[in-house]
Amino acid sequence: MLRVMELIRRVNPPCDKCPYKLGIVSTLINPCPQCKRNGYRSFEWLCKGQKRGHEDGTGL
């Protein structure tokens, strides 16, 4: 199942919904290059942190 999600994300990247791109979460470095390399897993990581209440990206 995860493999299918990776393939879908490579075709349709989730960047337009990403908390970093939307300015909701801030990080010390731009996570986008690594996110693209690792199959957009950083997107999931940022979203999980926001759901837990870490809107500024701290504690992730």
Side-chain angles (χ1 to χ4, degrees):
M1 181 67 176
L2 287 175
R3 196 76 174 137
V4 173
M5 292 302 292
E6 268 186 46
L7 292 172
I8 290 171
R9 288 219 172 118
R10 290 198 187 272
V11 175
N12 293 324
C15 299
D16 58 337
K17 298 179 275 184
C18 179
Y20 177 77
K21 287 284 189 174
L22 293 173
I24 298 169
V25 173
S26 59
T27 60
L28 294 176
I29 59 169
N30 183 343
C32 298
Q34 180 184 0
C35 190
K36 289 176 186 175
R37 277 194 304 269
N38 70 15
Y40 297 98
R41 287 191 197 123
S42 297
F43 167 75
E44 294 171 10
W45 178 71
L46 290 167
C47 288
K48 280 183 189 176
Q50 187 185 6
K51 285 179 187 174
R52 281 190 232 140
H54 303 291
E55 293 182 5
D56 63 350
T58 58
L60 295 175

